[in-house]
Amino acid sequence: MEALIIAAGFGSRLRDISESKPLTPIAGVPGLLASPFNCIYSAAKLKENPRYPETEIMGSGPFRFVEHVKGSTWTGKRFDGYFRAGLPYLDGYKTYFVKSNGVVPGILGGQFDAEFRGRNPSETKQLLDKMKGDLSVQESAWTTNLLIVFNTQRKPFDDLKVRQALSMAINRWGGSEALSKISILKFVGGVMRPGYSMALPEEDLVKIPGFSKDIAKSREDAKKILEEAGLKDLKFKLLNRNVAEPYTPGAVFAIDQWRRIGVTVEHEQLETKLYQDRVAAGDFDVAIEFQADFMDDPTAQFSKFLTKKSSPSGYSGHTDTKIDEMYEKQRRAIDVAERTKIVREMDTYALMQAYTVPLLWWQRIVVNHKKIKNWYITPSHYLWQDLATVWLDQ
């Protein structure tokens, strides 16, 4: 019997979906139909019990549900009636729900064969130092980044120049090199994932305040801006989640960067629910936020850069409807070249206004037992998890 043992390192995923009027056409429909978060439910069952999906399993996937032990495990077995003939190859799987820091000991101890989310460089080294001959490593850019959100409803963050100055103080290019060795933070980019076809080319990105490679000049300019605004000794609080990777190193890095232009920042880390409530209520000066989705679609990636009127997750509280208008325009653009042009213009505008700015994009490093075959990494940890074609060489 071949069964796969999986560790599911978990964290809270904050996701808001804004209501909008129907648009025709909508470029992102194919992606939405393919989303792993969209399901087809039984109308009859919903009529009987609108909350039945909370306790009953329905689907057409490669495995049948066997058992769920709350907070502990989830077990599935092969579905012999799967619509793809001959699949799945595995007889079943068992997933363990563990805190992120429990994944590496579990792999080293032989409790888990795989963990498909991702590990940081130090964890990867720890695994390879002890099990190099037994492991495989796959790496990719990640459709996830850390964001810095300025609360534009509070002074001085309602001032464009101040927001730009705080972004200009951050040496993203140097930080990328240093942080990528100790955390999952790595890639410098705008709103769209670096390397994606619609992303801003580097030659355009470096012209935007906060993304120049001449950090010495950027910091001098930032100091002058703050002095002229009467904010030479600016102090504020940075709100953050109490999640070690990568929220803590990202915030510590940003605070150190701001210190170099004379800005003093207090780091406030809260449990995720308390943090989420504060951000949603606009109860913060500046916040570390994140963007994560299952695919490189601008309709999803720009949701946290919009006004609150267009998106509940427009946490900066700005009222700039120009970006909302550009957002709606790209949604209607079916031609890829036309849409790419609009998206890059929107990306540039959003970064220039600096209501919310990307800090760094994440790197995804997946370390699994080498006996796992026919699994490949994608830029999203939400995809390629059905295990239909995975098999074990043992």
Side-chain angles (χ1 to χ4, degrees):
M1 177 178 178
E2 289 190 345
L4 182 61
I5 307 302
I6 309 164
F10 63 88
S12 297
R13 180 171 187 263
L14 314 182
R15 179 182 173 88
D16 291 305
I17 302 175
S18 62
E19 295 182 0
S20 60
K21 296 178 181 179
L23 297 174
T24 305
I26 299 178
V29 165
L32 292 173
L33 293 175
S35 168
F37 300 106
N38 291 333
C39 305
I40 298 175
Y41 295 110
S42 165
K45 280 183 170 288
L46 285 171
K47 187 175 181 179
E48 293 174 5
N49 176 16
R51 301 185 65 174
Y52 92 87
E54 296 178 18
T55 56
E56 295 183 52
I57 304 296
M58 277 191 66
S60 57
F63 296 94
R64 284 184 177 275
F65 170 72
V66 174
E67 180 187 36
H68 174 218
V69 179
K70 189 174 182 179
S72 179
T73 61
W74 181 288
T75 307
K77 69 175 182 179
R78 188 180 193 276
F79 174 37
D80 294 331
Y82 186 48
F83 72 94
R84 298 174 66 186
L87 297 178
Y89 297 128
L90 296 172
D91 294 311
Y93 66 85
K94 189 169 188 177
T95 297
Y96 288 82
F97 298 97
V98 297
K99 294 281 188 180
S100 186
N101 59 10
V103 173
V104 170
I107 293 176
L108 291 175
Q111 185 180 7
F112 314 134
D113 298 317
E115 192 269 349
F116 295 121
R117 181 181 174 88
R119 298 293 93 205
N120 67 29
S122 61
E123 291 173 318
T124 302
K125 183 178 185 303
Q126 183 182 353
L127 287 167
L128 293 178
D129 283 347
K130 296 184 178 181
M131 294 181 62
K132 185 175 183 179
D134 295 323
L135 300 174
S136 67
V137 180
Q138 297 186 47
E139 300 184 33
S140 170
W142 212 331
T143 52
T144 307
N145 63 24
L146 281 193
L147 302 170
I148 297 173
V149 183
F150 297 107
N151 187 347
T152 63
Q153 297 300 303
R154 291 186 180 181
K155 291 186 177 300
F157 311 110
D158 59 337
D159 187 328
L160 168 62
K161 290 294 185 181
V162 172
R163 297 193 302 270
Q164 287 182 338
L166 291 173
S167 185
M168 289 161 61
I170 300 172
N171 182 7
R172 289 172 171 84
W173 301 98
S176 167
E177 183 177 353
L179 287 170
S180 64
K181 297 175 182 177
I182 62 170
S183 78
I184 58 176
L185 296 172
K186 183 174 183 177
F187 301 100
V188 180
V191 183
M192 299 304 295
R193 179 175 61 86
Y196 178 57
S197 60
M198 290 187 182
L200 279 177
E202 186 175 308
E203 60 266 27
D204 295 329
L205 182 66
V206 296
K207 299 174 184 176
I208 297 172
F211 295 87
S212 169
K213 293 187 177 182
D214 189 346
I215 189 60
K217 183 179 186 306
S218 289
R219 285 181 179 155
E220 285 304 311
D221 291 343
K223 288 179 183 178
K224 290 178 183 178
I225 290 170
L226 294 182
E227 287 177 8
E228 291 171 358
L231 298 169
K232 185 177 179 179
D233 300 316
L234 176 63
K235 297 179 181 180
F236 62 83
K237 287 185 178 181
L238 180 66
L239 181 64
N240 194 12
R241 297 171 70 187
N242 64 346
V243 177
E245 179 66 77
Y247 297 86
T248 298
V252 170
F253 167 67
I255 290 170
D256 176 69
Q257 299 295 288
W258 288 323
R259 176 186 60 80
R260 297 174 190 232
I261 62 167
V263 175
T264 302
V265 180
E266 179 184 338
H267 189 194
E268 182 180 13
Q269 288 188 275
L270 299 177
E271 182 273 329
T272 294
K273 180 60 168 62
L274 295 175
Y275 155 87
Q276 181 182 14
D277 291 344
R278 287 269 302 275
V279 171
D283 184 14
F284 65 94
D285 294 330
V286 180
I288 293 290
E289 246 288 323
F290 74 100
Q291 183 69 291
D293 224 292
F294 68 97
M295 65 180 294
D296 294 298
D297 185 83
T299 300
Q301 297 296 338
F302 275 87
S303 64
K304 294 186 177 181
F305 292 79
L306 306 176
T307 67
K308 273 282 183 74
K309 183 178 180 180
S310 291
S311 172
S313 57
Y315 298 131
S316 75
H318 76 81
T319 56
D320 187 348
T321 57
K322 181 176 178 179
I323 193 167
D324 292 354
E325 292 166 2
M326 298 171 81
Y327 180 77
E328 291 301 324
K329 189 177 179 182
Q330 66 81 25
R331 292 181 70 200
R332 303 171 191 235
I334 300 300
D335 180 77
V336 175
E338 179 190 357
R339 193 181 190 206
T340 299
K341 182 175 182 294
I342 298 169
V343 168
R344 288 180 176 177
E345 290 172 352
M346 182 169 58
D347 205 328
T348 300
Y349 182 78
L351 297 181
M352 288 294 296
Q353 297 305 308
Y355 305 119
T356 295
V357 291
L359 181 61
L360 287 170
W361 286 76
W362 299 11
Q363 58 178 329
R364 189 178 180 204
I365 309 171
V366 175
V367 186
N368 290 328
H369 199 285
K370 69 178 183 181
K371 68 183 178 183
I372 298 169
K373 303 297 182 181
N374 211 31
W375 184 89
Y376 58 83
I377 197 168
T378 72
S380 172
H381 58 289
Y382 299 124
L383 302 179
W384 196 229
Q385 304 287 24
D386 70 359
L387 307 179
T389 61
V390 172
W391 57 279
L392 303 181
D393 184 9
Q394 60 180 22

